[in-house]
Amino acid sequence: MKKNLSVTIVIPTCYGGDSLISTAESLFASTNVRTFRFMIVSDRFPIKPATRKKLEKMGVLPVKNPQTFVEGAMASNIRMVYNTAKLWNGGANYLAASGRCLAFRMSLFSKFRIPEILVNADMYFLLENKRLNGKFAMLPDAKVFIRPPQKLKDQVGPSSRFQYQKEELKKFFDFNYANEYRVPMTDAIQAVMKEII
């Protein structure tokens, strides 16, 4: 007995912008494919009403992924840390480097000491850059959208490495880097106010 298989294409997205329309058009323009159901799941930002309307008219089912309590709390915390990083020292600080995508000039990076075993690489690279008198700049327009942890256990594992970050870095740097961790209170307060107002 022949089974009638159905095909569903699901695209997860954090940013519900107009580019979704061209993506949908491209998929629907595919040739020699069987009929399929098409869903777009928005994780972080809701799909704009005008975009949603166009997608629905094309036959796309836009879905808003439900946010857990932990995910909402973590998203709020991430925004506060990000806004603090932008304010503090013009974005040249460890909050702007910690857990971020970092890029270096090869002329400088080739001089980096790279340990074989390293847990807190982002903070290490920031301090190694400083040791070599390199400059650091935060690029707020270069964004990568990643869904925050949905459960507490999802956050505990990755965050545990930060608990002994300072101890690990002591092995590699002989200069006093304590000031790198001193977040200016005024910047932190501004970031919190921006989040709650």
Side-chain angles (χ1 to χ4, degrees):
M1 191 168 134
K2 193 175 178 182
K3 291 183 179 179
N4 290 324
L5 298 176
S6 62
V7 176
T8 302
I9 296 174
V10 181
I11 295 181
T13 180
C14 288
Y15 174 69
D18 293 338
S19 62
L20 294 173
I21 295 166
S22 56
T23 301
E25 286 172 342
S26 175
L27 276 169
F28 283 129
S30 301
T31 55
N32 300 321
V33 293
R34 69 190 321 165
T35 304
F36 57 87
R37 186 174 177 225
F38 185 15
M39 298 170 66
I40 294 179
V41 181
S42 173
D43 280 340
R44 183 169 176 195
F45 297 107
I47 297 172
K48 297 173 186 175
T51 305
R52 174 182 282 274
K53 199 170 181 178
K54 287 178 186 174
L55 289 169
E56 287 172 343
K57 196 172 181 181
M58 295 168 68
V60 180
L61 176 62
V63 178
K64 174 74 174 93
N65 219 9
Q67 192 178 65
T68 66
F69 173 78
V70 170
E71 184 179 1
M74 285 304 304
S76 179
N77 180 60
I78 289 166
R79 285 190 298 270
M80 286 188 283
V81 169
Y82 173 74
N83 287 322
T84 303
K86 282 201 301 186
L87 292 166
W88 178 16
N89 195 28
N93 59 75
Y94 95 94
L95 290 178
S98 186
R100 314 287 181 186
C101 178
L102 303 175
F104 299 94
R105 293 182 195 279
M106 282 308 298
S107 57
L108 185 68
F109 192 72
S110 62
K111 298 174 186 172
F112 276 28
R113 303 167 303 170
I114 311 288
E116 283 190 34
I117 299 173
L118 186 64
V119 176
N120 294 282
D122 41 16
M123 189 59 184
Y124 172 85
F125 287 143
L126 179 73
L127 293 176
E128 185 68 355
N129 183 61
K130 184 172 186 171
R131 182 184 72 84
L132 295 169
N133 298 314
K135 293 181 180 176
F136 180 85
M138 180 183 186
L139 304 175
D141 293 333
K143 295 179 182 178
V144 176
F145 294 105
I146 301 173
R147 189 175 184 185
Q150 289 122 57
K151 298 175 188 169
L152 204 52
K153 69 175 184 178
D154 297 338
Q155 173 64 13
V156 171
S159 66
S160 62
R161 68 178 183 269
F162 297 114
Q163 294 171 8
Y164 67 96
Q165 186 179 81
K166 292 179 188 177
E167 289 302 311
E168 181 187 37
L169 295 173
K170 274 182 190 174
K171 296 184 285 187
F172 306 111
F173 301 101
D174 56 7
F175 60 85
N176 183 5
Y177 53 83
N179 286 340
E180 301 292 330
Y181 289 93
R182 291 201 181 100
V183 180
M185 189 60 72
T186 52
D187 294 339
I189 290 170
Q190 279 186 64
V192 170
M193 295 303 289
K194 183 174 180 179
E195 182 64 20
I196 62 176
I197 291 177

